[in-house]
Amino acid sequence: MPAGPFIPFSAAVEAVTKANLDLDGSTIVATLHSASWTPAVNTDDTWSDLSASEFATGGGYTAGGQALSSITVTRSGAVTTFDAADVTWSALTMTNVKYLVLTRRAGGSLAVGDLLLGYMELESGGVVSPSAQNLTVAWNASGIITFTRS
């Protein structure tokens, strides 16, 4: 499933700008969230800001998310790109899934202070409710996040 645009949280942009975040040297996890959470890109900073909206373990989903694989940070001229392999949950059965969130996990499991990177809507303006289906989130062909020097 192609997802909507990836929206970075301001705290993540600040961390990258200050060289406090090593995107390809960190564990980045993808978690699924319900519509009970309303994104606030300028004030949502850490896992504690949205952990209550993550789906519980069940129906093919494991709370705490799925670690991204094949993470890369590449540069070509004035464009630097953060990317990873697409994420798939197999035989997923859930209702009203609205958001995918990426978070830098500092330890073995998500903790209240872990940095939020960004989010995307899985269905523009709506929700998805897979029933024993694979849910694959295909990142934009240009990468998850693209930084361009002007």
Side-chain angles (χ1 to χ4, degrees), residues 28 30 66-72 82-89 100 102 136-140 143-144:
I28 310 295
Q66 185 177 144
L68 298 187
S69 63
S70 304
I71 294 174
T72 59
F82 164 67
D83 204 4
D86 295 343
V87 178
T88 299
W89 285 273
L100 176 140
L102 294 184
T136 298
V137 176
W139 305 117
N140 185 301
I144 298 171

Side-chain angles (χ1 to χ4, degrees), residues 49-101:
D49 292 323
L50 58 83
S51 60
S53 68
E54 183 192 15
F55 284 93
T57 296
Y61 181 75
T62 301
Q66 185 177 144
L68 298 187
S69 63
S70 304
I71 294 174
T72 59
V73 175
T74 57
R75 183 176 61 89
S76 177
V79 178
T80 301
T81 303
F82 164 67
D83 204 4
D86 295 343
V87 178
T88 299
W89 285 273
S90 299
L92 191 66
T93 299
M94 302 177 87
T95 56
N96 299 321
V97 183
K98 184 157 178 102
Y99 301 105
L100 176 140
V101 175

Side-chain angles (χ1 to χ4, degrees), residues 5 13 23 25 29 50 52 55-56 64 66 102 105 109 112-113 125 130 141 144 150:
V13 173
L23 287 169
V29 295
L50 58 83
F55 284 93
Q66 185 177 144
L102 294 184
R105 188 180 72 204
S109 59
V112 294
I144 298 171
S150 54

